[in-house]
């Protein structure tokens, strides 16, 4: 696959080469002048994209992420003694997606490709189950991480080749938003190359998604790995999001038709001191206010290996005062961990497992409203889920 440098057009490559990011603000008038004569074609889906984004970023609701690859889903199933078969994956996803009343707290669900085309045991398509609950179906579109040549043992995300045709098919199947996850590692630098590659890849994906009717979730995950302090995470996050929004603008992405899925600004998982929810909220919101335009409708945080309770407490702390955007959640493990352990692969436990999903979804709904309390939470929900070098 082509790298970012090969994908940039001649003008952009020359301009960026002579204008490092730190000095771009001084050259904005030149860039604007050069762009005046270039016609920009807006996506024919523009109004729909804006409406979809607003629907997902609705009060008291967030995203259920169940887009784990089959291999990762297999690891989850193995933890409760189940084989990694399509039958078992379908049974677990059916449990999640047919939970009665889920739409009260969940506005969107990110699916893996296999799940997008699956149905319940009764023959009802999963996308129709979601629609019945007023939940927007979404789809993971990236093809995973691979080593980035020339970097400090860092990664880049595959999947741009064929993305337009795949996105068109996903739209026909009922998907209305997309997710592309790339990662940035603080212990590895991060290098300027890795940051630029992550930002450019996300921007190209976002433009292609919008051109095919899918609201792109923009997710440059800053991994929890490392022993660095929270101040270092804030510094890296500001740099990464600066690059991301520069390239989103370069690719003429409509900001009102995207959603962000950032990491919370926390210390490294191995740092000697843990930060309070109030400190995490202060640093995270500082970064967002410095980097994210208010035109963006929703900030849907990833949990990144935090415990279920930690992720909810931190989100709650960020909603203690008004924000320019809908500040909510897009959690996978932080919504599913207790569910999986309650289910244990047994049909007789399905109802109890669905109730545990509603408990976690409601807790995060309250956190989005800023009214959550951790009183009465189970010890299981307080257990951390950090995995070094975690992959989907």
């Amino acid at each position: 696959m082509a790298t970012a440098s090969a994908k940039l057009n001649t003008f952009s490559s020359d301009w960026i080469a002579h204008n490092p990011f730190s000095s771009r603000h001084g050259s904005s008038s030149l860039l604007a002048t050069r762009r005046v004569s270039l016609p920009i074609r807006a996506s024919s889906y523009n109004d729909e994209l804006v409406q979809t984004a607003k629907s997902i970023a609705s009060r008291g609701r967030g995203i259920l992420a169940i887009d784990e690859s089959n291999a990762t889903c297999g690891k989850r199933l193995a933890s409760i003694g189940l084989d990694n078969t399509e039958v078992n994956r379908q049974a677990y996803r059916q449990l999640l997606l047919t939970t009665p009343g889920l739409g009260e707290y969940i506005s969107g669900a990110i699916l893996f490709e296999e799940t997008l085309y699956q149905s319940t045991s009764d023959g009802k398509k999963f996308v129709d189950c979601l629609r019945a609950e007023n939940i927007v179906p979404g789809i993971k579109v990236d093809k995973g991480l691979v080593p980035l040549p020339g970097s400090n043992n860092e990664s880049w995300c595959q999947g741009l080749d064929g993305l337009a045709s795949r996105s068109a098919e996903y739209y026909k199947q009922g998907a209305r938003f997309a997710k592309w996850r790339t990662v940035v590692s603080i212990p590895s630098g991060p290098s300027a190359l890795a940051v630029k590659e992550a930002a450019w890849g996300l921007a190209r994906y976002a433009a292609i998604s919008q051109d095919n009717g899918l609201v792109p979730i923009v997710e440059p995950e800053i991994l929890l790995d490392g022993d660095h302090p929270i101040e270092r995470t804030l510094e890296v996050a500001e740099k990464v999001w600066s690059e991301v929004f520069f390239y989103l603008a370069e690719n003429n992405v409509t900001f009102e038709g995207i959603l962000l899925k950032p990491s919370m600004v926390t210390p490294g998982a191995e740092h000697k001191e843990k930060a309070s929810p109030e400190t995490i909220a202060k640093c995270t919101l500082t970064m967002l206010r410095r980097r994210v335009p208010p035109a963006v409708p929703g900030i849907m945080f990833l949990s990144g290996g935090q415990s279920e309770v930690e992720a909810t407490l931190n989100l709650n702390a960020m909603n203690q005062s008004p924000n320019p955007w809908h500040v909510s959640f897009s959690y996978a493990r932080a919504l599913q961990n207790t569910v999986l352990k309650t289910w244990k692969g047994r049909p007789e436990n399905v109802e109890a497992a669905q109730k545990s999903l509603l408990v976690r979804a409601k807790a995060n709904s309250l956190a989005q409203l800023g009214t959550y309390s951790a009183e009465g939470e189970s010890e299981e929900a307080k257990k951390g889920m950090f995995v070094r070098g975690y992959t989907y």
Side-chain angles (χ1 to χ4, degrees), residues 189-205:
S191 69
L193 172 65
V195 172
K196 182 175 289 188
E197 177 61 45
W200 176 256
L202 284 165
R204 288 306 306 139
Y205 137 77

Side-chain angles (χ1 to χ4, degrees), residues 247-359:
Y247 287 118
L248 287 172
E250 283 285 279
N251 282 273
N252 303 302
V253 171
T254 301
F255 289 174
E256 292 86 352
I258 67 174
L259 296 167
L260 306 188
K261 186 169 179 176
S263 310
M264 296 179 188
V265 177
T266 68
E270 297 158 309
H271 187 61
K272 58 186 177 182
E273 295 181 8
K274 291 193 67 174
S276 68
E278 291 73 24
T279 299
I280 290 170
K282 180 180 178 181
C283 291
T284 303
L285 291 174
T286 294
M287 181 275 292
L288 293 174
R289 288 177 181 134
R290 288 173 176 172
R291 295 294 181 262
V292 180
V296 174
I299 312 290
M300 322 298 286
F301 283 104
L302 59 90
S303 55
Q306 301 176 76
S307 75
E308 291 177 330
V309 171
E310 281 178 327
T312 309
L313 281 170
N314 292 337
L315 177 63
N316 186 70
M318 280 182 257
N319 282 298
Q320 294 308 299
S321 58
N323 292 302
W325 338 263
H326 175 80
V327 175
S328 192
F329 60 92
S330 177
Y331 293 164
R333 286 172 286 173
L335 283 173
Q336 296 182 50
N337 187 52
T338 302
V339 177
L340 193 62
K341 293 181 178 181
T342 302
W343 177 47
K344 299 177 182 177
R346 299 173 183 170
E348 63 269 24
N349 292 340
V350 166
E351 185 176 350
Q354 290 179 329
K355 287 181 179 178
S356 68
L357 174 59
L358 287 177
V359 167

Side-chain angles (χ1 to χ4, degrees), residues 6-53:
K7 295 170 192 165
L8 292 169
N9 59 41
T10 302
F11 166 65
S12 295
S13 298
D14 291 344
W15 190 84
I16 292 170
H18 292 90
N19 294 269
F21 187 82
S22 60
S23 64
R24 283 177 196 158
H25 64 279
S27 303
S28 58
S29 59
L30 170 62
L31 184 59
T33 301
R34 294 290 297 272
R35 277 180 170 166
V36 167
S37 61
L38 301 179
I40 302 301
R41 181 178 62 86
S43 170
S44 58
Y45 294 98
N46 201 61
D47 291 344
E48 181 183 343
L49 293 168
V50 172
Q51 184 56 47
T52 297

Side-chain angles (χ1 to χ4, degrees), residues 181-261:
R181 173 186 180 258
T182 192
V183 302
V184 173
S185 171
I186 293 179
S188 296
S191 69
L193 172 65
V195 172
K196 182 175 289 188
E197 177 61 45
W200 176 256
L202 284 165
R204 288 306 306 139
Y205 137 77
I208 294 168
S209 294
Q210 288 191 338
D211 203 43
N212 288 279
L214 302 179
V215 169
I217 289 183
V218 178
E219 181 184 0
E221 179 175 354
I222 298 172
L223 298 172
L224 283 176
D225 304 56
D227 59 2
H228 49 276
I230 196 169
E231 292 80 8
R232 175 59 178 157
T233 308
L234 175 59
E235 178 186 13
V236 171
E238 288 184 351
K239 171 63 176 174
V240 169
W241 282 105
S242 293
E243 293 277 308
V244 167
F245 272 99
F246 175 78
Y247 287 118
L248 287 172
E250 283 285 279
N251 282 273
N252 303 302
V253 171
T254 301
F255 289 174
E256 292 86 352
I258 67 174
L259 296 167
L260 306 188
K261 186 169 179 176

